[in-house]
Amino acid sequence: MLDVAAGNYVPNAVIVITDGLITASGSALAVPAGAQVIDLGDETLLPGLIDAHTHLMARMGDGADSYVQTLATESLARRALDGAADAKATLLAGFTAVRDVESEGSGYADLDLRDAIEAGLVEGPRMQGASRGIAMIGQYFPFGVAWDQPEFPVGAQLVSGVDEARRAAREQIGHGADLLKVYADWREPTLSVEELRAVVDEAHRFHCKVAAHATTTQGIANALAAGVDSIEHGDHLTPVLLAEMKAKGVTWVTTKGVVWEEMRKAHSPAVQAKIDAFVAMVSANLATATRLGVRVASGFDPGSAADHGRNAVEIEALASFGLGNLGALRAATINAAALMGWADKVGALTPGHYGDLIAVRGDPLADIATVQHVSFVMKGGLVVRDDRR
């Protein structure tokens, strides 16, 4: 069993789970009388993995107009069914908890999915949902819709001005959002610091955190000035901004798995040079984040049917970009759990935590790719995947 916090293995591990919670864990513990025994032989036990940036309601295609087509042709009922399928795929891949950061035009259906999973109606990971997301008018999907179609569905709740931003925050919290998602930029900075701060103030008043989509340097700076709790993507972070994140306790949720996969494909020299430069920038920022002690959490950002269930790609990417195997595993367990405020519930195999665990064949500290080949998944003491059967 890997003790992720300590960074070492516990040999001959025994975990005792009672009523869905871990009551004992350690080496060569006595098995309580009458317990159901599951012997996983020489496989390696890990805490259930956590994806801190997913979109379970999103199954967009590859074309430029796929987002528009989804909003125009799929009912909310269909989107909810898609979300259920994506949730199951994510759970079977070993991710027993997720932070769903915006429903991509399906309203509050992500919160309905969260509640259905909790009620046992569908299989899926434990969820925190951000509901609709909050973006500036004209700066989020769909793009290219005719101007005389003002009622066409939109991918987020679009606002203009402090009052509208505050109202959106209140509406989403009122409908049960666990956290709020703001778009601090798109191609350029969008929502003002004042608009962002209005959302943050409302969220924090109700003990909700705020995740900020922020890729540009100025967008990141605006989000930090407004007091957000996490920077999502953070493509153009700088050492100065990372130092501010450390001082303010802000988490960086990386979403770099797609870039890592693109890096390994064949491209023209010009495209490859751009990818290489981006990867170098990300690696340098991760090194700075590690040196400063900035919390890094793993988030794959899947948005297509093919990507849901491949969330562990992000873990392998983080290891490759400089976090190392243990650092990447921490990003997908204890760090993500701390961001979610669930450090006492998930992300570790210690007493008091949920009985959420996975098993892999091999040594993930030596070969991080093993996390993409999970053979056993348990959530709350219930086996949801067992490849030995």
Side-chain angles (χ1 to χ4, degrees):
M1 176 179 71
L2 178 61
D3 183 333
V4 178
N8 55 38
Y9 283 112
V10 177
N12 303 314
V14 176
I15 300 175
V16 181
I17 300 171
T18 307
D19 296 330
L21 297 177
I22 296 173
T23 53
S25 64
S27 179
L29 299 183
V31 176
Q36 176 191 356
V37 176
I38 300 174
D39 186 347
L40 294 176
D42 61 356
E43 296 196 11
T44 302
L45 289 177
L46 299 168
L49 302 172
I50 304 169
D51 193 316
H53 187 118
T54 189
H55 299 280
L56 292 177
M57 312 307 298
R59 279 197 165 200
M60 311 305 177
D62 295 328
D65 294 328
S66 61
Y67 204 109
V68 173
Q69 292 172 358
T70 296
L71 294 182
T73 63
E74 289 199 6
S75 67
L76 290 182
R78 172 56 190 267
R79 296 289 302 277
L81 292 170
D82 286 347
D86 296 338
K88 184 173 182 178
T90 303
L91 177 61
L92 293 179
F95 287 78
T96 54
V98 299
R99 182 170 167 263
D100 195 87
V101 285
E102 200 241 304
S103 69
E104 302 292 359
S106 60
Y108 297 97
D110 60 330
L111 306 184
D112 293 328
L113 176 61
R114 173 200 65 192
D115 296 344
I117 291 171
E118 187 173 349
L121 300 177
V122 296
E123 286 188 297
R126 306 180 194 281
M127 280 182 64
Q128 289 184 357
S131 74
R132 300 172 64 187
I134 300 171
M136 183 178 118
I137 288 177
Q139 292 299 314
Y140 196 63
F141 294 111
F143 297 105
V145 175
W147 62 267
D148 57 354
Q149 300 295 322
E151 301 303 319
F152 196 88
V154 293
Q157 190 166 359
L158 304 181
V159 302
S160 182
V162 170
D163 288 343
E164 289 188 9
R166 190 179 302 279
R167 181 180 181 87
R170 290 175 175 177
E171 286 180 2
Q172 294 182 18
I173 293 169
H175 284 290
D178 299 297
L179 68 148
L180 298 183
K181 167 77 171 292
V182 293
Y183 287 84
D185 56 24
W186 196 240
R187 293 177 179 85
E188 302 292 339
T190 53
L191 294 174
S192 68
V193 174
E194 293 73 22
E195 289 169 325
L196 292 168
R197 187 174 290 128
V199 175
V200 171
D201 288 347
E202 291 300 320
H204 288 178
R205 188 155 63 91
F206 289 95
H207 310 291
C208 291
K209 292 184 178 181
V210 178
H213 169 112
T215 62
T216 65
T217 299
Q218 188 59 55
I220 296 168
N222 291 347
L224 293 177
V228 302
D229 300 284
S230 65
I231 297 296
E232 314 292 313
H233 313 300
D235 293 350
H236 292 89
L237 277 162
T238 66
V240 171
L241 291 172
L242 284 165
E244 184 178 353
M245 290 174 66
K246 171 59 178 177
K248 294 182 175 180
V250 177
T251 301
W252 179 16
V253 185
T254 48
T255 71
K256 297 298 179 284
V258 173
V259 174
W260 179 73
E261 291 192 309
E262 285 297 317
M263 180 182 69
R264 301 184 300 162
K265 297 178 182 178
H267 298 285
S268 70
V271 172
Q272 189 62 50
K274 290 182 180 180
I275 293 174
D276 290 345
F278 185 80
V279 169
M281 179 177 63
V282 170
S283 297
N285 281 333
L286 280 172
T288 301
T290 300
R291 176 174 57 82
L292 294 175
V294 176
R295 181 191 294 141
V296 175
S298 176
F300 183 45
D301 195 16
S304 69
D307 280 340
H308 290 288
R310 300 180 60 248
N311 311 65
V313 168
E314 182 71 18
I315 301 173
E316 195 165 353
L318 290 177
S320 175
F321 289 166
L323 278 191
N325 294 355
L326 179 60
L329 288 169
R330 285 172 172 164
T333 52
I334 54 178
N335 289 4
L339 170 62
M340 297 174 74
W342 284 359
D344 60 338
K345 299 178 181 179
V346 297
L349 297 177
T350 53
H353 286 70
Y354 289 120
D356 296 352
L357 57 90
I358 65 172
V360 296
R361 300 187 183 99
D363 178 359
L365 292 184
D367 180 9
I368 196 62
T370 59
V371 296
Q372 293 201 53
H373 307 286
V374 172
S375 58
F376 179 89
V377 180
M378 173 179 283
K379 177 190 169 190
L382 300 177
V383 177
V384 295
R385 175 175 181 174
D386 187 352
D387 288 358
R388 302 169 305 159
R389 294 179 180 177

